[in-house]
Amino acid sequence: SLANMTIENGQISYSDAQSGAAYNFSDVDVTLNLPSLDEQLNVAGALTWNAERVNIDATVERPRAVLEAATTATTLAVSSNPVTFNYAGDVTFGTALATSGTVDLDVPSVRKLSAWTGSPMAEGGGFGPLALNGQLASAGTRYTFSNATMSLDGMNANGNLVVETAGARPKLSGTLAVDQIDTNVYSGQGDAGWSTDAIDFSGLKAV
C-alpha cells in the first residue's frame, strides 16, 4: 500500500494564495487509503468547520490523474446540517477543475448556508429550502445543469440551467418549466403588493 493514513482529532489549516482566503478545520477524523497511484483512493471521515460537523466520503478511481491533469471517475458525498451534496462522475484535474456527472444537492436554508460560508445575505424574505438534482458539467466558474429538477422556497422547476459565479453576483440563464413564481416571499410583502426593492441573489454563490 502506498499510503494508509488515519487522522484523529486533528487540525488542518489551508490558505488560498490566489484569493487570500484561509480555512481552518478542527476535530478532524479521517481515514485515507491509497494502495497505489493506479488504484482507487478512498477518503472517509468527518471534520468541524465554522462550528458545524461535516461528514465526507470520497473516491478517486485513478489518483495518478491528479498529477497528470487528466480525467478520472470520482465520487464525493458531503453531509452536514447546512448542506448535503452528492456527486458521481468524471473529474478533470488541471488549472481549474472540470466535472461531468450527476449531482444531488439539498440545502435546508440558503440563508443559513450563506452565513455559514462567510457570505451572509441582506435581511429579507425567502431563500429557504433548496434542492437540485441532475446532470452537472462544470469548468472553472461556469456550471451547467442539464435535465435538472429543482425547487426553491416551494417553487418547483425542471429543465436546463447555467450558473456563472465569476462576478459579484451569480449570473443565471437557461430554460426552465416552473410550476409557480412567487416573488412576494423575497420582498417580505406577503399579500401587501409588489415591492420595488431589489432581490439579493448573492447567497447563491454559497451553493
Side-chain angles (χ1 to χ4, degrees), residues 133-190:
N133 175 271
Q135 295 292 315
L136 168 65
S138 71
T141 59
R142 183 181 177 88
Y143 302 84
T144 301
F145 297 93
S146 304
N147 300 319
T149 59
M150 61 196 75
S151 64
L152 175 64
D153 293 324
M155 294 174 281
N156 302 295
N158 60 78
N160 304 312
L161 179 68
V162 177
V163 182
E164 176 61 63
T165 63
R169 289 181 172 81
K171 179 181 178 181
L172 283 70
S173 60
T175 303
L176 297 172
V178 185
D179 64 349
Q180 61 174 327
I181 297 178
D182 182 8
T183 59
N184 288 326
V185 69
Y186 304 106
S187 67
Q189 299 295 311

Side-chain angles (χ1 to χ4, degrees), residues 81-107:
N81 288 328
V83 59
T84 298
F85 174 84
N86 291 280
Y87 172 82
D90 288 338
V91 173
T92 300
F93 297 89
T95 304
L97 287 179
T99 65
S100 178
T102 59
V103 66
D104 187 31
L105 175 72
D106 183 31
V107 178

